[in-house]
DNA sequence: GTCTATAATAGGATAGAC
DNA sequence: GTCTATCCTATTATAGAC
């Protein structure tokens, strides 16, 4: 097929912003159409399965983004501190310094949770495992490494919730700032 | 007015379960009607402002619950450890050991966030301040106490997100188990 | 206070022309 | 691939009887 005016990837990225701001139930086709710049029919051309299909594509895009900007840096050569720092930088951009929500987190609300249970579980699981691997390379044994990894993801997710609740990105910025030290001290 | 068949408080509690499971956008009048056992028209009798009114009542109920089961125990006489333990017990029940979502957190998604910005901010703020007060009573100075309090709320919220993402309440249970120790060690 | 019935609108989805 | 027009259903909300 010929190259469309807008690459599918770009369409998906725009849909992502709607889903992450409004969740699955809250994202309407009207909003998705406006944000993507495509009419409803064009959206159905890209995503025959409708809204669920769009959300699935968005989740796959998140998986790809995570693989490239989180899992790969964490698994790359280098000191654990350096690998962790690369993830922190990527997350700081992804979440706009604490001002943007977590798509995965917002997909846990309502119908979406059971609809996308597996990809959500896999995404969190892969993230935790990649972090645990770094912690083991930093000298932790398996169990503490796993706990530190879960604690890390939990802190980031919690910080995003609190930042939105307090209307202040500072908790998120603090969590990211502190992260390197928790690896050394554990 | 005469006592209705079901106290308004009970109605609100049932609505709460719908909103906390589905968020604001995801909660439909049909679900709210079924969960409350009231017809749509009866719901509009209790809540003339419709869904927004229902959500507001639910948020007020959460504020009351927090005041009674979180703020009051934290401000009550007793050792800091004992006061904290009472909050932990209450939260463990509220969140069904990590199996239930946080209403406040789910209200941060979509339109609801700006609609209820103030009560949400106040609720998180009051919770944090009550915890900070306990921390100060435990010997921390103002700034560390505030940080510990924010960290505590953040961990609980993050744990609930992660527990739902992994489909496993263990992260939440761990956070609650660990909480008393963080007060002593900080 | 609660119900049945119904209005009015938004939402998701499709048809068919171009 | 994209658009306009349309369909059907669910959703929010109201009217009016009891």
């Amino acid at each position: 097929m010929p190259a469309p005016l807008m690459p599918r990837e770009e369409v998906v990225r725009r849909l992502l912003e709607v889903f992450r701001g409004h969740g699955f139930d809250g994202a309407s086709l009207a909003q998705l159409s406006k944000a993507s710049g495509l009419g409803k029919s064009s959206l159905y051309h890209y995503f025959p399965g409708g809204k669920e299909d769009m959300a699935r594509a968005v989740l796959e895009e998140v998986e790809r983004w995570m693989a490239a900007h989180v899992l790969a840096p964490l698994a790359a050569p280098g000191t654990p501190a350096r690998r962790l720092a690369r993830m922190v930088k990527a997350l700081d951009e992804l979440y706009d310094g604490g001002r943007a929500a977590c798509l995965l987190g917002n997909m846990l609300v309502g119908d979406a949770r059971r609809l996308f249970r597996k990809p959500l579980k896999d995404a969190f699981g892969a993230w935790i495992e990649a972090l645990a691997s770094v912690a083991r390379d930093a000298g932790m044994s398996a169990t503490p490494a796993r706990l530190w990894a879960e604690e890390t993801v939990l802190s980031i997710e919690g910080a995003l919730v609190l930042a939105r609740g307090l209307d202040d990105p500072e908790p998120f910025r603090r969590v990211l700032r502190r992260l390197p030290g928790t690896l050394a001290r554990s």
Side-chain angles (χ1 to χ4, degrees), chain A residues 82-106:
Chain A
R82 187 101 193 80
R83 287 146 65 191
L84 192 61
R86 274 196 291 255
M87 179 195 80
V88 165
K89 182 150 182 277
L91 292 182
D92 195 24
E93 285 168 22
L94 176 66
Y95 296 120
D96 191 20
R99 276 172 295 277
C102 178
L103 176 96
L104 298 178
N106 281 359

PDB file of all heavy atoms in Angstrom, chain A residues 82-106:
ATOM      1  N   ARG A  82      24.026   4.117  35.458  1.00  0.00           N
ATOM      2  CA  ARG A  82      23.930   4.766  34.147  1.00  0.00           C
ATOM      3  C   ARG A  82      22.683   4.274  33.399  1.00  0.00           C
ATOM      4  O   ARG A  82      21.980   5.053  32.748  1.00  0.00           O
ATOM      5  CB  ARG A  82      25.208   4.436  33.356  1.00  0.00           C
ATOM      6  CG  ARG A  82      25.362   5.146  32.045  1.00  0.00           C
ATOM      7  CD  ARG A  82      26.322   6.349  32.151  1.00  0.00           C
ATOM      8  NE  ARG A  82      26.221   7.208  30.963  1.00  0.00           N
ATOM      9  CZ  ARG A  82      25.249   8.114  30.780  1.00  0.00           C
ATOM     10  NH1 ARG A  82      24.327   8.288  31.717  1.00  0.00           N
ATOM     11  NH2 ARG A  82      25.193   8.846  29.678  1.00  0.00           N
ATOM     12  N   ARG A  83      22.418   2.970  33.482  1.00  0.00           N
ATOM     13  CA  ARG A  83      21.249   2.412  32.795  1.00  0.00           C
ATOM     14  C   ARG A  83      19.955   2.959  33.403  1.00  0.00           C
ATOM     15  O   ARG A  83      19.017   3.316  32.681  1.00  0.00           O
ATOM     16  CB  ARG A  83      21.280   0.880  32.901  1.00  0.00           C
ATOM     17  CG  ARG A  83      22.358   0.255  32.005  1.00  0.00           C
ATOM     18  CD  ARG A  83      22.990  -0.984  32.605  1.00  0.00           C
ATOM     19  NE  ARG A  83      22.060  -2.089  32.745  1.00  0.00           N
ATOM     20  CZ  ARG A  83      22.340  -3.203  33.435  1.00  0.00           C
ATOM     21  NH1 ARG A  83      23.526  -3.340  34.031  1.00  0.00           N
ATOM     22  NH2 ARG A  83      21.452  -4.153  33.518  1.00  0.00           N
ATOM     23  N   LEU A  84      19.949   3.049  34.726  1.00  0.00           N
ATOM     24  CA  LEU A  84      18.769   3.582  35.409  1.00  0.00           C
ATOM     25  C   LEU A  84      18.542   5.039  35.027  1.00  0.00           C
ATOM     26  O   LEU A  84      17.403   5.481  34.808  1.00  0.00           O
ATOM     27  CB  LEU A  84      18.966   3.446  36.927  1.00  0.00           C
ATOM     28  CG  LEU A  84      17.742   3.687  37.800  1.00  0.00           C
ATOM     29  CD1 LEU A  84      16.646   2.685  37.467  1.00  0.00           C
ATOM     30  CD2 LEU A  84      18.117   3.579  39.279  1.00  0.00           C
ATOM     31  N   ALA A  85      19.641   5.788  34.924  1.00  0.00           N
ATOM     32  CA  ALA A  85      19.539   7.212  34.593  1.00  0.00           C
ATOM     33  C   ALA A  85      18.891   7.417  33.228  1.00  0.00           C
ATOM     34  O   ALA A  85      18.143   8.385  33.022  1.00  0.00           O
ATOM     35  CB  ALA A  85      20.925   7.854  34.631  1.00  0.00           C
ATOM     36  N   ARG A  86      19.178   6.510  32.306  1.00  0.00           N
ATOM     37  CA  ARG A  86      18.577   6.652  30.975  1.00  0.00           C
ATOM     38  C   ARG A  86      17.067   6.438  31.036  1.00  0.00           C
ATOM     39  O   ARG A  86      16.302   7.122  30.355  1.00  0.00           O
ATOM     40  CB  ARG A  86      19.230   5.676  29.993  1.00  0.00           C
ATOM     41  CG  ARG A  86      20.508   6.259  29.357  1.00  0.00           C
ATOM     42  CD  ARG A  86      20.911   5.455  28.123  1.00  0.00           C
ATOM     43  NE  ARG A  86      21.364   4.123  28.499  1.00  0.00           N
ATOM     44  CZ  ARG A  86      22.647   3.728  28.517  1.00  0.00           C
ATOM     45  NH1 ARG A  86      23.606   4.564  28.180  1.00  0.00           N
ATOM     46  NH2 ARG A  86      22.971   2.508  28.863  1.00  0.00           N
ATOM     47  N   MET A  87      16.639   5.485  31.863  1.00  0.00           N
ATOM     48  CA  MET A  87      15.194   5.281  32.019  1.00  0.00           C
ATOM     49  C   MET A  87      14.553   6.517  32.643  1.00  0.00           C
ATOM     50  O   MET A  87      13.478   6.966  32.218  1.00  0.00           O
ATOM     51  CB  MET A  87      14.900   4.060  32.889  1.00  0.00           C
ATOM     52  CG  MET A  87      13.389   3.841  33.075  1.00  0.00           C
ATOM     53  SD  MET A  87      12.943   2.692  34.404  1.00  0.00           S
ATOM     54  CE  MET A  87      13.111   3.753  35.851  1.00  0.00           C
ATOM     55  N   VAL A  88      15.185   7.049  33.652  1.00  0.00           N
ATOM     56  CA  VAL A  88      14.642   8.227  34.345  1.00  0.00           C
ATOM     57  C   VAL A  88      14.453   9.380  33.373  1.00  0.00           C
ATOM     58  O   VAL A  88      13.400  10.039  33.365  1.00  0.00           O
ATOM     59  CB  VAL A  88      15.577   8.653  35.508  1.00  0.00           C
ATOM     60  CG1 VAL A  88      15.229  10.058  35.991  1.00  0.00           C
ATOM     61  CG2 VAL A  88      15.474   7.654  36.654  1.00  0.00           C
ATOM     62  N   LYS A  89      15.417   9.594  32.532  1.00  0.00           N
ATOM     63  CA  LYS A  89      15.329  10.689  31.561  1.00  0.00           C
ATOM     64  C   LYS A  89      14.151  10.467  30.616  1.00  0.00           C
ATOM     65  O   LYS A  89      13.383  11.387  30.338  1.00  0.00           O
ATOM     66  CB  LYS A  89      16.644  10.765  30.774  1.00  0.00           C
ATOM     67  CG  LYS A  89      16.719  11.893  29.766  1.00  0.00           C
ATOM     68  CD  LYS A  89      18.161  12.383  29.587  1.00  0.00           C
ATOM     69  CE  LYS A  89      18.238  13.561  28.611  1.00  0.00           C
ATOM     70  NZ  LYS A  89      18.268  13.102  27.196  1.00  0.00           N
ATOM     71  N   ALA A  90      14.015   9.227  30.156  1.00  0.00           N
ATOM     72  CA  ALA A  90      12.919   8.915  29.237  1.00  0.00           C
ATOM     73  C   ALA A  90      11.564   9.117  29.913  1.00  0.00           C
ATOM     74  O   ALA A  90      10.636   9.685  29.326  1.00  0.00           O
ATOM     75  CB  ALA A  90      13.058   7.483  28.728  1.00  0.00           C
ATOM     76  N   LEU A  91      11.432   8.672  31.165  1.00  0.00           N
ATOM     77  CA  LEU A  91      10.154   8.800  31.878  1.00  0.00           C
ATOM     78  C   LEU A  91       9.823  10.261  32.160  1.00  0.00           C
ATOM     79  O   LEU A  91       8.661  10.666  32.106  1.00  0.00           O
ATOM     80  CB  LEU A  91      10.204   8.024  33.192  1.00  0.00           C
ATOM     81  CG  LEU A  91      10.283   6.502  33.071  1.00  0.00           C
ATOM     82  CD1 LEU A  91      10.278   5.881  34.466  1.00  0.00           C
ATOM     83  CD2 LEU A  91       9.132   5.950  32.240  1.00  0.00           C
ATOM     84  N   ASP A  92      10.844  11.036  32.444  1.00  0.00           N
ATOM     85  CA  ASP A  92      10.625  12.454  32.710  1.00  0.00           C
ATOM     86  C   ASP A  92       9.996  13.121  31.486  1.00  0.00           C
ATOM     87  O   ASP A  92       9.101  13.957  31.618  1.00  0.00           O
ATOM     88  CB  ASP A  92      11.960  13.120  33.060  1.00  0.00           C
ATOM     89  CG  ASP A  92      11.752  14.485  33.700  1.00  0.00           C
ATOM     90  OD1 ASP A  92      10.661  14.706  34.269  1.00  0.00           O
ATOM     91  OD2 ASP A  92      12.665  15.327  33.623  1.00  0.00           O
ATOM     92  N   GLU A  93      10.442  12.712  30.304  1.00  0.00           N
ATOM     93  CA  GLU A  93       9.864  13.265  29.076  1.00  0.00           C
ATOM     94  C   GLU A  93       8.469  12.691  28.830  1.00  0.00           C
ATOM     95  O   GLU A  93       7.536  13.428  28.521  1.00  0.00           O
ATOM     96  CB  GLU A  93      10.774  12.973  27.881  1.00  0.00           C
ATOM     97  CG  GLU A  93      12.015  13.867  27.881  1.00  0.00           C
ATOM     98  CD  GLU A  93      13.066  13.413  26.874  1.00  0.00           C
ATOM     99  OE1 GLU A  93      12.701  12.701  25.914  1.00  0.00           O
ATOM    100  OE2 GLU A  93      14.251  13.776  27.056  1.00  0.00           O
ATOM    101  N   LEU A  94       8.351  11.377  28.966  1.00  0.00           N
ATOM    102  CA  LEU A  94       7.060  10.728  28.718  1.00  0.00           C
ATOM    103  C   LEU A  94       5.954  11.357  29.555  1.00  0.00           C
ATOM    104  O   LEU A  94       4.860  11.639  29.060  1.00  0.00           O
ATOM    105  CB  LEU A  94       7.149   9.232  29.053  1.00  0.00           C
ATOM    106  CG  LEU A  94       5.843   8.451  28.942  1.00  0.00           C
ATOM    107  CD1 LEU A  94       5.348   8.393  27.502  1.00  0.00           C
ATOM    108  CD2 LEU A  94       6.002   7.028  29.483  1.00  0.00           C
ATOM    109  N   TYR A  95       6.222  11.570  30.811  1.00  0.00           N
ATOM    110  CA  TYR A  95       5.199  12.094  31.726  1.00  0.00           C
ATOM    111  C   TYR A  95       5.273  13.607  31.868  1.00  0.00           C
ATOM    112  O   TYR A  95       4.646  14.179  32.765  1.00  0.00           O
ATOM    113  CB  TYR A  95       5.323  11.412  33.096  1.00  0.00           C
ATOM    114  CG  TYR A  95       5.049   9.931  33.042  1.00  0.00           C
ATOM    115  CD1 TYR A  95       6.018   9.006  33.417  1.00  0.00           C
ATOM    116  CD2 TYR A  95       3.815   9.459  32.605  1.00  0.00           C
ATOM    117  CE1 TYR A  95       5.771   7.638  33.364  1.00  0.00           C
ATOM    118  CE2 TYR A  95       3.559   8.097  32.542  1.00  0.00           C
ATOM    119  CZ  TYR A  95       4.539   7.204  32.923  1.00  0.00           C
ATOM    120  OH  TYR A  95       4.294   5.850  32.875  1.00  0.00           O
ATOM    121  N   ASP A  96       6.017  14.244  30.986  1.00  0.00           N
ATOM    122  CA  ASP A  96       6.098  15.706  30.968  1.00  0.00           C
ATOM    123  C   ASP A  96       6.408  16.257  32.364  1.00  0.00           C
ATOM    124  O   ASP A  96       5.718  17.168  32.844  1.00  0.00           O
ATOM    125  CB  ASP A  96       4.779  16.284  30.428  1.00  0.00           C
ATOM    126  CG  ASP A  96       4.889  17.776  30.130  1.00  0.00           C
ATOM    127  OD1 ASP A  96       6.013  18.280  29.974  1.00  0.00           O
ATOM    128  OD2 ASP A  96       3.826  18.453  30.080  1.00  0.00           O
ATOM    129  N   GLY A  97       7.395  15.687  32.977  1.00  0.00           N
ATOM    130  CA  GLY A  97       7.828  16.172  34.282  1.00  0.00           C
ATOM    131  C   GLY A  97       6.784  16.033  35.375  1.00  0.00           C
ATOM    132  O   GLY A  97       6.814  16.741  36.383  1.00  0.00           O
ATOM    133  N   GLY A  98       5.838  15.140  35.178  1.00  0.00           N
ATOM    134  CA  GLY A  98       4.820  14.899  36.207  1.00  0.00           C
ATOM    135  C   GLY A  98       3.476  15.530  35.896  1.00  0.00           C
ATOM    136  O   GLY A  98       2.530  15.407  36.671  1.00  0.00           O
ATOM    137  N   ARG A  99       3.412  16.212  34.748  1.00  0.00           N
ATOM    138  CA  ARG A  99       2.144  16.870  34.405  1.00  0.00           C
ATOM    139  C   ARG A  99       1.207  15.962  33.613  1.00  0.00           C
ATOM    140  O   ARG A  99       0.002  16.218  33.545  1.00  0.00           O
ATOM    141  CB  ARG A  99       2.413  18.162  33.621  1.00  0.00           C
ATOM    142  CG  ARG A  99       2.722  19.363  34.511  1.00  0.00           C
ATOM    143  CD  ARG A  99       3.160  20.558  33.676  1.00  0.00           C
ATOM    144  NE  ARG A  99       4.427  20.289  32.998  1.00  0.00           N
ATOM    145  CZ  ARG A  99       5.639  20.427  33.568  1.00  0.00           C
ATOM    146  NH1 ARG A  99       5.720  20.840  34.825  1.00  0.00           N
ATOM    147  NH2 ARG A  99       6.733  20.152  32.901  1.00  0.00           N
ATOM    148  N   ALA A 100       1.734  14.906  33.037  1.00  0.00           N
ATOM    149  CA  ALA A 100       0.890  14.009  32.232  1.00  0.00           C
ATOM    150  C   ALA A 100       0.581  12.724  32.995  1.00  0.00           C
ATOM    151  O   ALA A 100       1.358  12.283  33.841  1.00  0.00           O
ATOM    152  CB  ALA A 100       1.589  13.682  30.925  1.00  0.00           C
ATOM    153  N   ALA A 101      -0.543  12.127  32.681  1.00  0.00           N
ATOM    154  CA  ALA A 101      -0.971  10.902  33.360  1.00  0.00           C
ATOM    155  C   ALA A 101      -0.308   9.673  32.753  1.00  0.00           C
ATOM    156  O   ALA A 101       0.353   9.750  31.721  1.00  0.00           O
ATOM    157  CB  ALA A 101      -2.480  10.769  33.285  1.00  0.00           C
ATOM    158  N   CYS A 102      -0.482   8.547  33.420  1.00  0.00           N
ATOM    159  CA  CYS A 102       0.023   7.281  32.900  1.00  0.00           C
ATOM    160  C   CYS A 102      -1.096   6.571  32.152  1.00  0.00           C
ATOM    161  O   CYS A 102      -2.160   6.305  32.715  1.00  0.00           O
ATOM    162  CB  CYS A 102       0.517   6.392  34.035  1.00  0.00           C
ATOM    163  SG  CYS A 102       1.104   4.785  33.455  1.00  0.00           S
ATOM    164  N   LEU A 103      -0.856   6.279  30.895  1.00  0.00           N
ATOM    165  CA  LEU A 103      -1.870   5.570  30.111  1.00  0.00           C
ATOM    166  C   LEU A 103      -2.206   4.228  30.733  1.00  0.00           C
ATOM    167  O   LEU A 103      -3.378   3.857  30.864  1.00  0.00           O
ATOM    168  CB  LEU A 103      -1.394   5.351  28.678  1.00  0.00           C
ATOM    169  CG  LEU A 103      -2.394   4.522  27.876  1.00  0.00           C
ATOM    170  CD1 LEU A 103      -3.324   5.393  27.075  1.00  0.00           C
ATOM    171  CD2 LEU A 103      -1.717   3.494  27.011  1.00  0.00           C
ATOM    172  N   LEU A 104      -1.187   3.479  31.100  1.00  0.00           N
ATOM    173  CA  LEU A 104      -1.419   2.160  31.694  1.00  0.00           C
ATOM    174  C   LEU A 104      -2.300   2.288  32.928  1.00  0.00           C
ATOM    175  O   LEU A 104      -3.249   1.527  33.111  1.00  0.00           O
ATOM    176  CB  LEU A 104      -0.089   1.500  32.052  1.00  0.00           C
ATOM    177  CG  LEU A 104       0.879   1.224  30.892  1.00  0.00           C
ATOM    178  CD1 LEU A 104       2.168   0.621  31.422  1.00  0.00           C
ATOM    179  CD2 LEU A 104       0.250   0.319  29.848  1.00  0.00           C
ATOM    180  N   GLY A 105      -1.983   3.236  33.761  1.00  0.00           N
ATOM    181  CA  GLY A 105      -2.757   3.437  34.984  1.00  0.00           C
ATOM    182  C   GLY A 105      -4.211   3.767  34.673  1.00  0.00           C
ATOM    183  O   GLY A 105      -5.130   3.210  35.287  1.00  0.00           O
ATOM    184  N   ASN A 106      -4.435   4.650  33.709  1.00  0.00           N
ATOM    185  CA  ASN A 106      -5.805   5.045  33.385  1.00  0.00           C
ATOM    186  C   ASN A 106      -6.575   3.937  32.665  1.00  0.00           C
ATOM    187  O   ASN A 106      -7.799   3.949  32.637  1.00  0.00           O
ATOM    188  CB  ASN A 106      -5.786   6.312  32.537  1.00  0.00           C
ATOM    189  CG  ASN A 106      -5.565   7.556  33.380  1.00  0.00           C
ATOM    190  OD1 ASN A 106      -5.435   7.471  34.602  1.00  0.00           O
ATOM    191  ND2 ASN A 106      -5.518   8.706  32.739  1.00  0.00           N
TER     192      ASN A 106
END
